[in-house]
Amino acid sequence: MADLETFRQETRAWLEQNCPQSMRSPFKSDKDVCWGGRNWTFQSDDQRLWLERMAERGWTAPDWPAEYGGGGLSREEHKILREELARIQARPPLNSFGVWMIGPALLKFGSEELKRQHLPPIVRGEIRWCQGYSEPGAGSDLAGLQTRAVDQGDHFIVNGQKVWTSYADKADWMFALVRTNPDVKKQEGISLVLFDMTTPGVSTRPIKLISGSSPFCETFLDDVRVEKNQVVGEVDKGWGIAKYLLTHEREMIGGFGRTAAGQKTLPRQAVDQLGLSEGQLADSFMRADIARWDLDAKAFEVTVERVTDEARSGQGVGHASAMLKYYGTELNKRRQELLLGIYGSEAMVWEGEAWQEGALPRQWLRSKGNSIEGGTSEIQLNVIAKNILGLG
Amino acid sequence: MQRLVLNEEQQMLKDSAAGFLKDSGSVSQLRELRDNRDATGFSSSLWQQMVEMGLAGTLIPEAFGGSEFGHVGMGQISEQAGRNLTAAPLFASGILGVSALLLAGNDDQKKQLEAIAAGQLLTALAIDEQGRHAPNRVSTTASPDGDGYVLDGQKTFVVDGHVANTLIVSARTAGEADDEAGITLFLVDAKASGVEVERTIMVDSHNAAVVRLSGVRVPASAVLGAVDQGYSVLTSLLDIGNAHLAAELLGIAEESFEQTMNYIRDRKQFGVTVASFQALQHRAAHLFSELELLKSVVLKALRSLDEQADNTSAMVSLAKAKACEIAQLATNEGVQMHGGVGMTDEYDIGLFMKRARPLQQLFGDYAYHADRYARLNGY
């Protein structure tokens, strides 16, 4: 325990020295988020410094092994780092599908060669990744994907189309599910492959969403050459890795909408907007709606704590991620609808600096996708019913 | 911070309570008690066994003959009592009576803890005076009389009041009808002159009582805690009671859910099991998710009580509110998914629905605790 206390003191001192002041406040808008990559333009010197310094210590991926550039921290040390970062309200130095998704998959399933090639640039924020899963004809039925990879001896030639590829237009590399064998059960002919987005034959087109933004793209793959050594795990065995990654993604999306440190809670926003009457929110119907949401949100937060603790103690049900994804995204949608009521017509304004360029209606619209992406709510309910409850 | 999981000792308590109550305090026992119109409404041999196993003393310090396993420990027993619809005076005496004495009792009064642990003393909490729970709404009066008091008034929904030796009564010593200040708690001998106890058999075949107090004289030593200051004790006591009611409702909801899942996996219509219909699957999966949330908040509330956390009251109201909501959903869905047989007395699911509702009402339902949670959070 003494070692951990030393670690905490050293971490605190290092952060005090190295975290620029302007990086010690919550993000004001999406523009403040650092995604890194070859084409990244840093918003400020501080943003660049903060990424470089954290990456230097491997603290953009604190629990990855040091030999691949990670921080090599134990679970306890990682927790302390998170606490110390939260203490000074430090911004995440890097948002990265590399750190969140393909990195963990490579650590678990990748060859030594792939780990050495791909993990260190992820840690340093030099390579930005995107995920090629869904296709026009394969959404909820993901295993029905048709993008075809034909064996050419030392490489594959890939043809097909991906859709809902987050930030494909800004990404440097893609991890994609492709069909390597069309003659077997659909789950058994899928491989997970990696390729550079500048490879000839790769093109992207952003999709404009109801929220006005275009975080997703269509990605077209025309005779794209993928080297054989860029297959993660075994050929035709990609579905298992895909499911592992989907679990990761569900947990991530299920966490959307939780009140971040320093952010005002929903009831607090309601009190500020509507005022109190005899100690109670002035609008009694809205108060009841907000309390109902607040109870569920707090219960969800406690459940995340319990499920996490159970996993650490080696207990608990599998497939908890389906439940968390389902419930967390539905909660966030309810929260966004309540915010519209709290702010009224102010939440209807689409443009203008005084209204943060329509942040409220845009995030309300964005939230509708939470229960669709990463497996719809209905798919999560199917997973629970079939895999946990044995109904079928 | 301690992990939000059961420790080994608590897990053992849960397992042993599960096995014991399934064998000795089960639904079939409740049916027998009901059908035979049993004079007490619970099995005295079951209670004797629970005492011998030390269950009655789970919350009692070792110095008074208990095991002091704490609320997380006792909560495991409450949950199993919910799963089995167990009829026993454990809640009224082993939880409410014990906690009242621990919270406010003087040294003399605390000696009664030994009698509770030994199964020689049964208590009941007499606080509500109207159908809807309102612990501040006290019009029962306690007027000074010599060196004691005279109590007059009427209490309702006094759980296990029909068998209690000692009643814990809230009465007004000062203030107006709804004031929180001016309420005093008294330990009243159920056999005292002027005490009339009328058993009320409830919808769940468990028992409560209406208690009428007419010129009941009690000595000054009957005061539990400080005069006029009873409400704060009552608040802590009700937090304890509600956390265990939430645990019991969790047990009811879990058991209803499991029995219903078993039923729909077996029941065939149109040549297939009804579990194969997505209309039922999605409702079941939603209910599963809600049950996972309920498990978390019940454990959190019990843990908060043991740690005497600052936000204990909010965590208890969160747990009780969710428990009311989800036990209601689980039992209603249970009856509906059972179809016609869900309406029969032969199947147990109806008994679970009937047991859930009085526990939801007891010490405040969903609306009561959602409102309290909001107030505790400053809105």
Side-chain angles (χ1 to χ4, degrees):
Chain A
M1 290 310 272
D3 287 349
L4 288 179
E5 199 39 48
T6 311
F7 178 78
R8 184 184 292 280
Q9 294 309 330
E10 286 171 2
T11 301
R12 187 172 293 187
W14 187 87
L15 289 174
E16 202 48 60
Q17 283 262 311
N18 290 281
C19 182
Q21 279 303 327
S22 70
M23 295 290 112
R24 300 187 192 189
S25 63
F27 293 128
K28 288 189 188 65
S29 79
D30 286 350
K31 293 180 191 127
D32 296 339
V33 178
C34 176
W35 287 93
R38 289 176 198 146
N39 304 315
W40 185 250
T41 311
F42 287 98
Q43 198 201 28
S44 64
D45 282 349
D46 281 352
Q47 192 185 55
R48 181 181 52 78
L49 263 179
W50 181 223
L51 172 60
E52 284 174 4
R53 287 172 178 171
M54 285 292 276
E56 173 76 33
R57 312 205 97 189
W59 284 2
T60 48
D63 56 354
W64 289 9
E67 57 181 317
Y68 305 120
L73 299 190
S74 68
R75 188 177 291 144
E76 289 76 13
E77 289 168 336
H78 189 183
K79 183 160 175 274
I80 289 170
L81 174 61
R82 280 199 305 268
E83 287 166 1
E84 290 303 314
L85 286 165
R87 201 181 68 86
I88 59 168
Q89 290 199 317
R91 294 179 179 178
L94 181 67
N95 269 18
S96 161
F97 294 121
V99 172
W100 297 333
M101 308 198 60
I102 188 63
L106 284 173
L107 281 169
K108 205 171 164 69
F109 303 101
S111 66
E112 188 59 27
E113 182 191 358
L114 284 182
K115 288 188 221 179
R116 296 216 173 272
Q117 179 187 356
H118 292 299
L119 295 179
I122 289 174
V123 172
R124 294 194 297 268
E126 290 167 0
I127 293 293
R128 184 171 178 179
W129 286 80
C130 62
Q131 166 181 286
Y133 272 27
S134 297
E135 296 178 5
S140 286
D141 179 19
L142 182 61
L145 59 91
Q146 297 296 330
T147 292
R148 189 76 175 89
V150 178
D151 194 331
Q152 304 285 336
D154 61 340
H155 66 278
F156 290 102
I157 291 295
V158 179
N159 278 287
Q161 185 188 341
K162 293 291 175 182
V163 73
W164 308 121
T165 328
S166 303
Y167 304 111
D169 53 338
K170 300 185 173 73
D172 306 309
W173 274 70
M174 175 182 270
F175 55 98
L177 292 175
V178 296
R179 183 156 307 285
T180 34
N181 188 345
D183 302 324
V184 290
K185 199 171 151 231
K186 60 183 176 182
Q187 287 87 355
E188 289 164 11
I190 293 171
S191 301
L192 181 65
V193 300
L194 314 175
F195 56 85
D196 193 313
M197 292 295 280
T198 61
T199 311
V202 179
S203 59
T204 62
R205 186 163 71 198
I207 304 168
K208 187 170 181 184
L209 300 183
I210 50 176
S211 61
S213 70
S214 307
F216 300 108
C217 295
E218 293 175 286
T219 304
F220 304 92
L221 306 171
D222 298 310
D223 289 335
V224 175
R225 181 186 167 110
V226 174
E227 301 305 324
K228 278 240 169 117
N229 66 355
Q230 297 299 322
V231 176
V232 183
E234 288 176 55
V235 173
D236 291 346
K237 295 283 194 295
W239 185 244
I241 309 173
K243 283 200 293 185
Y244 167 80
L245 276 167
L246 280 170
T247 303
H248 251 270
E249 187 182 16
R250 280 172 198 157
E251 283 165 5
M252 215 167 71
I253 297 169
F256 284 178
R258 289 166 69 193
T259 308
Q263 197 185 339
K264 265 195 269 178
T265 63
L266 183 76
R268 183 46 52 197
Q269 293 181 74
V271 168
D272 289 352
Q273 289 297 310
L274 310 174
L276 292 170
S277 164
E278 293 177 15
Q280 298 188 359
L281 203 59
D283 185 320
S284 64
F285 264 52
M286 183 157 276
R287 175 175 182 264
D289 275 355
I290 288 172
R292 196 172 269 279
W293 177 87
D294 199 14
L295 287 165
D296 290 344
K298 183 68 188 175
F300 183 72
E301 182 189 316
V302 177
T303 302
V304 171
E305 180 189 346
R306 178 174 67 86
V307 169
T308 310
D309 286 350
E310 280 178 356
R312 285 178 185 158
S313 308
Q315 311 173 9
V317 293
H319 309 289
S321 67
M323 179 269 291
L324 295 177
K325 203 273 175 183
Y326 162 64
Y327 211 96
T329 54
E330 296 295 332
L331 263 180
N332 192 37
K333 290 197 299 179
R334 284 166 63 191
R335 174 171 183 268
Q336 296 297 336
E337 292 290 352
L338 287 168
L339 281 170
L340 295 193
I342 290 168
Y343 288 94
S345 64
E346 288 178 31
M348 302 291 109
V349 183
W350 189 247
E351 292 177 13
E353 209 174 319
W355 291 272
Q356 288 92 46
E357 301 298 344
L360 273 169
R362 288 166 197 266
Q363 75 191 28
W364 161 68
L365 288 162
R366 176 66 187 86
S367 74
K368 299 300 176 197
N370 294 164
S371 52
I372 300 171
E373 61 204 327
T376 62
S377 283
E378 290 72 19
I379 288 289
Q380 307 308 324
L381 293 173
N382 284 348
V383 169
I384 295 168
K386 298 207 161 62
N387 296 352
I388 304 178
L389 302 177
L391 307 179
Chain B
M1 207 168 65
Q2 215 186 337
R3 286 179 180 174
L4 198 57
V5 292
L6 296 183
N7 66 28
E8 205 172 319
E9 180 184 274
Q10 291 155 352
Q11 187 62 48
M12 274 172 59
L13 204 53
K14 178 177 185 157
D15 294 343
S16 77
F20 168 66
L21 291 178
K22 204 173 165 71
D23 291 341
S24 309
S26 65
V27 180
S28 60
Q29 183 180 68
L30 179 69
R31 287 180 179 278
E32 251 172 64
L33 293 163
R34 177 193 70 173
D35 296 344
N36 298 336
R37 303 192 67 77
D38 186 89
T40 60
F42 69 91
S43 154
S44 56
S45 77
L46 170 69
W47 179 236
Q48 199 48 47
Q49 284 180 77
M50 291 174 88
V51 166
E52 282 162 18
M53 289 173 70
L55 299 187
T58 305
L59 293 177
I60 298 176
E62 288 176 23
F64 296 101
S67 55
E68 204 173 1
F69 274 140
H71 291 291
V72 175
M74 183 62 112
Q76 306 316 307
I77 305 168
S78 299
E79 185 181 333
Q80 296 307 318
R83 275 187 177 265
N84 292 286
L85 307 183
T86 306
L90 185 67
F91 179 71
S93 299
I95 294 173
L96 296 177
V98 165
S99 299
L101 292 169
L102 286 173
L103 285 167
N106 58 35
D107 289 349
D108 251 10
Q109 290 165 336
K110 279 186 183 162
K111 285 179 189 154
Q112 297 180 56
L113 290 169
E114 290 173 26
I116 295 179
Q120 292 151 356
L121 172 66
L122 295 179
T123 64
L125 185 62
I127 52 169
D128 275 319
E129 301 185 355
Q130 55 173 24
R132 193 159 175 80
H133 175 62
N136 59 320
R137 188 155 294 179
V138 175
S139 52
T140 293
T141 55
S143 318
D145 178 65
D147 58 355
Y149 294 84
V150 173
L151 273 59
D152 286 283
Q154 180 170 318
K155 297 290 182 180
T156 185
F157 203 12
V158 180
V159 169
D160 288 343
H162 65 305
V163 290
N165 312 107
T166 298
L167 301 165
I168 302 163
V169 178
S170 63
R172 191 158 288 290
T173 38
E176 302 295 321
D178 286 357
D179 290 352
E180 291 176 2
I183 293 171
T184 305
L185 297 178
F186 293 90
L187 297 172
V188 178
D189 184 344
K191 293 278 184 291
S193 164
V195 177
E196 187 199 325
V197 178
E198 181 193 345
R199 176 183 180 185
T200 46
I201 298 176
M202 309 304 279
V203 65
D204 55 357
S205 304
H206 284 235
N207 291 273
V210 172
V211 174
R212 295 183 187 87
L213 306 160
S214 319
V216 179
R217 286 175 177 281
V218 296
S221 60
V223 173
L224 181 67
V227 173
D228 292 347
Q229 310 294 315
Y231 192 77
S232 72
V233 174
L234 201 49
T235 300
S236 302
L237 183 58
L238 289 171
D239 276 344
I240 291 170
N242 273 312
H244 287 281
L245 289 171
E248 194 163 347
L249 284 162
L250 167 63
I252 289 169
E254 287 174 314
E255 187 66 25
S256 299
F257 182 64
E258 286 170 21
Q259 290 191 10
T260 303
M261 292 304 103
N262 286 335
Y263 182 78
I264 66 172
R265 283 186 208 110
D266 287 344
R267 169 75 174 168
K268 283 193 171 171
Q269 288 289 278
F270 306 103
V272 293
T273 66
V274 296
S276 65
F277 298 125
Q278 206 171 42
L280 297 190
Q281 288 177 358
H282 282 192
R283 279 156 57 194
H286 172 74
L287 191 46
F288 169 83
S289 304
E290 289 284 12
L291 279 166
E292 287 297 306
L293 264 66
L294 179 55
K295 281 182 209 168
S296 315
V297 293
V298 166
L299 181 54
K300 188 77 169 181
L302 294 165
R303 174 72 61 78
S304 301
L305 285 171
D306 282 335
E307 291 173 349
Q308 300 184 311
D310 290 340
N311 64 347
T312 298
S313 290
M315 289 303 101
V316 169
S317 275
L318 170 62
K320 181 69 187 305
K322 284 301 289 181
C324 289
E325 181 193 17
I326 302 316
Q328 182 165 324
L329 181 66
T331 52
N332 283 348
E333 288 284 58
V335 169
Q336 177 67 22
M337 291 189 190
H338 272 76
V341 298
M343 294 299 292
T344 65
D345 185 64
E346 184 190 341
Y347 276 74
D348 287 343
I349 189 67
L351 298 181
F352 282 89
M353 183 167 73
K354 292 195 279 186
R355 178 70 179 136
R357 294 306 180 278
L359 296 184
Q360 288 171 238
Q361 289 303 321
L362 187 59
F363 304 161
D365 62 1
Y366 181 88
Y368 181 92
H369 285 283
D371 173 74
R372 183 171 183 251
Y373 183 81
R375 276 188 287 114
L376 288 167
N377 282 290
Y379 67 100

